[in-house]
């Protein structure tokens, strides 16, 4: 199987694994997804909450002035009268009133009434009648629930809270209405028969205001918050099911009253939307709405209750607005964790929901988002399987990070436009694909790259090594016929030289000489084929093709002679015997490739053109040349525009039957041509 197919097989495995996790949906991946969702809020930052919703805050300042919580309901009655007189459009209380308030005065009056005779009083006596009137007056004055009831009824714009105890499991059977409905139950539905398929959160028990307050209120709305598994409140349960009836939230009821929408125009389309008149609120399959939080705690205008009661707040601050009344003081413990704040007062969550509905600014996560998610799981592994094999590991890492950054940026832009697209599973597919392909490359292709570098970095230039690394196919076993140039150099009478000098000196001087000669070959992007004793064999035009291989070989030969002249001068100055060399160059078609055995890699050239190059080097012994470089006619024809030569004539070299024309290479026409 080819490496390319193996890479795509890795991508297919990643796709299968990611889809398995997608359908299994581990909890920790859900948590990561929601944390990435929260990150969108952090990046977006605080936005304007609008001017249609304010909060009457039961804050530390108000507690310090009025007294500890809970306050007498007479204070709430006074607050409602103040807000009503100030022109508040709707007053929504986020304060549970599920039990009657019994003051000490009422308890005293009830005690006296029960023990009338024990006091020696008669109900018909003047003293008895006077005491009865005094007790009745005291009871009326101490009846704080009655005062609150009267204020709520006179206001005609107050929404009071319901609270539900959440049923832990969802029933597969659609609920059937049973018993009497609580006040403010929904009466308008669409696709009612699908309520079992798209069930809202369900309650096992309800806590409603005491009957007299519930009857006086304009409407009731639930304040039950359903947090995610990590404790963060990201959703608003727009409706709650209880005994087969459906109850809207406090924020929904407040907006309905503020916009003048009748109760029958509040319509729940199960799993699709909740219509508040002409406003359609998108919901998820559990009929919940994503809350688009404007910011952390304190983003909405907060008016201290004590300032409202003492007239320190201008009525313009509440006129024609929805006013939510609730606790913001930490001591009241009505705090929630949200994507933008770890301590958001619950009343401010209701304010955010109401502001979202009024401005029609919603975050959506429709069902088709899962198709986009699946497309991402398919796309990224296949795309990276195409891209990564073309890159080095570190470049691959950078490319994957750039791809993920672009992907996240696109998802964040859609978030700003009101659509929550998933990140985790496509990102997981990207990460697994990168790891899988990178490990494969390190185990196979990168190992091959390193082997190529080790094998060739001493014989060719770094540029050639890099090109070989990018195209390892050039080193596959077997040969191919290509037009190349070979260069042979040999030391004249080296046998006699070795006889006249100690072996250590011969080895030292030979090492220095060969190093300098190879440097000139590599400088012209040639390839050192091998050392043959004191001889050097080099190839130009392979393994990386060079269109000017003949010219480069000639430039290398001239540089070798110039370098030898420098060495000879130094050796003479040091009292050491110099030596001479001869060089032969031939160009033509040759077989080049890995021509070794299964045990030994040997990248070399063979053919008649190679043999001719070796014979030309030997001709230096027969011709008197100023520059000991003999080139063939084919080399001359390939580079004649750049060469200064002297025609030596025709010669029949050993092993050939036809004469060949040979030239002495004397120099280059352009000195600048000596560069690489």
């Amino acid at each position: 199987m080819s490496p390319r197919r193996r890479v795509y097989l890795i991508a297919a495995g990643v796709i299968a694994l990611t889809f398995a996790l997608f359908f299994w949906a581990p909890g920790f991946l859900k948590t990561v997804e929601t944390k990435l969702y929260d990150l969108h809020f952090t990046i977006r930052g605080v936005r304007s909450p609008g001017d249609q919703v304010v909060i009457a805050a039961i804050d530390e300042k108000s507690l310090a002035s009025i007294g500890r919580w809970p306050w007498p309901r007479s204070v709430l009655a006074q607050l409602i009268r103040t807000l009503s007189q100030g022109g508040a459009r709707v007053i929504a209380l986020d304060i549970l009133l599920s039990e009657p308030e019994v003051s000490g005065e009422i308890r005293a009056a009830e005690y006296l009434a029960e023990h009338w005779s024990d006091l020696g009083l008669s109900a018909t006596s003047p003293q008895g009648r006077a005491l009865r009137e005094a007790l009745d007056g005291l009871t009326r004055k101490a009846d704080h629930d009655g005062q609150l009831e009267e204020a709520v009824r006179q206001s005609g714009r107050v929404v009071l809270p319901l609270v539900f105890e959440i049923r832990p499991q969802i029933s597969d059977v659609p609920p059937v209405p049973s018993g009497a409905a609580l006040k403010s139950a929904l009466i308008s539905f669409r696709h009612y028969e699908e309520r079992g398929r798209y069930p809202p959160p369900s309650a096992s028990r309800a806590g409603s205001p005491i009957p007299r307050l519930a009857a006086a209120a304009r409407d009731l709305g639930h304040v039950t918050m359903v947090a995610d598994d990590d404790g963060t409140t990201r959703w608003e349960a727009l409706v709650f099911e209880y005994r087969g009836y459906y109850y809207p939230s406090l924020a929904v009821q407040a907006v309905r009253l503020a916009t003048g929408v009748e109760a029958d125009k509040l319509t729940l389309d199960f799993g699709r939307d909740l219509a508040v008149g002409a406003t359609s609120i998108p919901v998820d399959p559990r009929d919940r709405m994503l809350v688009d939080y404007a910011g952390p705690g304190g983003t909405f205008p907060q008016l201290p209750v004590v300032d409202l009661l003492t007239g320190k707040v201008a009525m313009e601050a509440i006129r024609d607005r929805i006013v939510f009344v609730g606790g913001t003081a930490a001591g009241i413990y009505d705090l929630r964790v949200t994507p933008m704040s770890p301590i958001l007062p619950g009343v401010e969550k209701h304010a955010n929901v109401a502001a979202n509905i009024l401005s029609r600014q919603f975050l959506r996560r429709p069902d088709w988002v899962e198709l986009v998610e699946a497309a991402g799981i398919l796309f990224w592994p296949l795309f990276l399987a195409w891209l990564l094999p073309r890159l080095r590991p570190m470049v691959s890492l950078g490319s994957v990070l750039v791809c993920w950054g672009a992907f996240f940026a696109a998802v964040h832009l859609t978030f700003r436009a009101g659509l929550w697209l998933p990140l985790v599973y496509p990102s997981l597919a990207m990460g697994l694909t990168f790891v899988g392909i990178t490990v494969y490359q390190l185990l196979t292709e990168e190992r091959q790259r390193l082997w190529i570098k080790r094998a060739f970095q001493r014989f060719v230039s770094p540029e050639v090594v890099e090109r070989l690394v990018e195209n390892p196919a050039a080193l596959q076993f077997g040969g191919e016929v290509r037009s190349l140039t070979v260069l042979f150099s040999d030391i004249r009478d080296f046998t006699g030289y070795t006889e006249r000098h100690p072996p250590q000196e011969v080895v030292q001087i030979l090492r220095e000489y060969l190093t300098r000669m190879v440097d000139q070959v590599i400088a012209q992007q040639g390839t050192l084929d091998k050392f043959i004793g004191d001889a050097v064999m080099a190839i130009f035009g392979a393994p990386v093709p060079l269109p000017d291989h003949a010219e480069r070989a000639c430039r290398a030969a001239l540089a070798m002679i110039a370098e030898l002249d420098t060495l000879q001068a130094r050796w003479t100055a040091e009292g050491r015997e110099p030596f001479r060399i001869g060089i032969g160059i031939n160009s033509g078609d040759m077989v080049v490739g890995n021509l070794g055995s299964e045990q030994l890699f040997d990248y070399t050239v063979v053919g008649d053109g190679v043999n001719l190059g070796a014979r030309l080097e030997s001709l230096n012994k027969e011709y008197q040349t100023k520059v000991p470089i003999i080139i063939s006619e084919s080399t001359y024809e390939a580079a004649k525009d750049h060469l200064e030569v002297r025609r030596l004539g025709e010669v029949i070299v050993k092993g050939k039957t036809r004469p060949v024309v040979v030239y002495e290479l004397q120099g280059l026409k352009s000195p600048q041509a000596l560069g690489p």
Side-chain angles (χ1 to χ4, degrees), residues 40-246:
H40 289 305
F41 283 98
T42 303
I43 295 174
R44 186 207 66 188
V46 179
R47 62 170 177 78
S48 172
D51 61 353
Q52 301 184 75
V53 179
V54 298
I55 296 172
I58 304 172
D59 58 358
E60 285 82 356
K61 177 181 178 181
S62 299
L63 292 177
S65 177
I66 298 173
R68 67 180 184 179
W69 186 258
W71 292 334
R73 289 178 184 171
S74 58
V75 176
L76 296 180
Q78 182 185 355
L79 176 62
I80 289 174
R81 286 192 292 269
T82 300
L83 295 174
S84 300
Q85 293 167 5
R89 181 164 293 183
V90 176
I91 304 168
L93 266 66
D94 184 23
I95 302 170
L96 299 180
L97 304 168
S98 55
E99 296 180 356
E101 179 184 307
V102 181
S103 65
E105 294 90 338
I106 292 179
R107 290 192 181 94
E110 291 175 347
Y111 178 83
L112 290 174
E114 291 174 359
H115 297 80
W116 192 269
S117 58
D118 296 341
L119 299 174
L121 297 175
S122 172
T124 58
S125 65
Q127 296 87 348
R129 287 195 297 272
L131 182 58
R132 170 61 67 183
E133 290 176 0
L135 290 176
D136 289 345
L138 178 62
T139 301
R140 285 193 299 273
K141 184 178 180 180
D143 184 11
H144 296 168
D145 283 344
Q147 295 176 39
L148 182 57
E149 176 189 1
E150 182 180 1
V152 169
R153 181 175 286 108
Q154 289 178 352
S155 173
R157 67 195 78 178
V158 177
V159 182
L160 294 182
L162 287 166
V163 64
F164 292 112
E165 184 175 310
I166 302 173
R167 182 178 285 121
Q169 294 182 342
I170 304 173
S171 175
D172 295 332
V173 180
V176 177
S178 62
L182 301 174
K183 184 176 181 177
S184 300
L186 282 170
I187 59 175
S188 180
F189 302 94
R190 293 184 63 193
H191 300 98
Y192 184 75
E193 69 282 359
E194 295 187 10
R195 65 193 186 281
R197 183 179 178 186
Y198 301 110
S202 182
S204 58
R205 189 168 61 181
S208 61
I210 59 176
R212 62 193 299 190
L213 294 179
R218 178 70 179 272
D219 271 308
L220 304 180
H222 83 80
V223 293
T224 307
M225 299 192 191
V226 183
D228 288 335
D229 293 340
D230 62 350
T232 303
T233 302
R234 301 180 178 90
W235 301 85
E236 166 80 344
L238 293 177
V239 296
F240 243 91
E241 181 273 323
Y242 177 61
R243 293 182 177 177
Y245 297 98
Y246 300 88

Side-chain angles (χ1 to χ4, degrees), residues 354-397:
N356 289 168
I357 301 172
L358 289 170
S359 64
R360 298 183 181 180
Q361 186 164 344
F362 303 114
L363 286 172
R364 296 171 173 83
R365 188 182 171 90
D367 290 343
W368 55 261
V369 162
E370 293 188 354
L371 296 177
V372 176
E373 194 169 16
I377 295 173
L378 286 171
F379 169 76
W380 286 115
L382 295 177
F383 173 72
L384 294 180
W386 171 83
L387 175 66
L388 297 185
R390 294 169 165 78
L391 306 173
R392 301 295 308 282
M394 292 306 297
V395 179
S396 296
L397 175 60

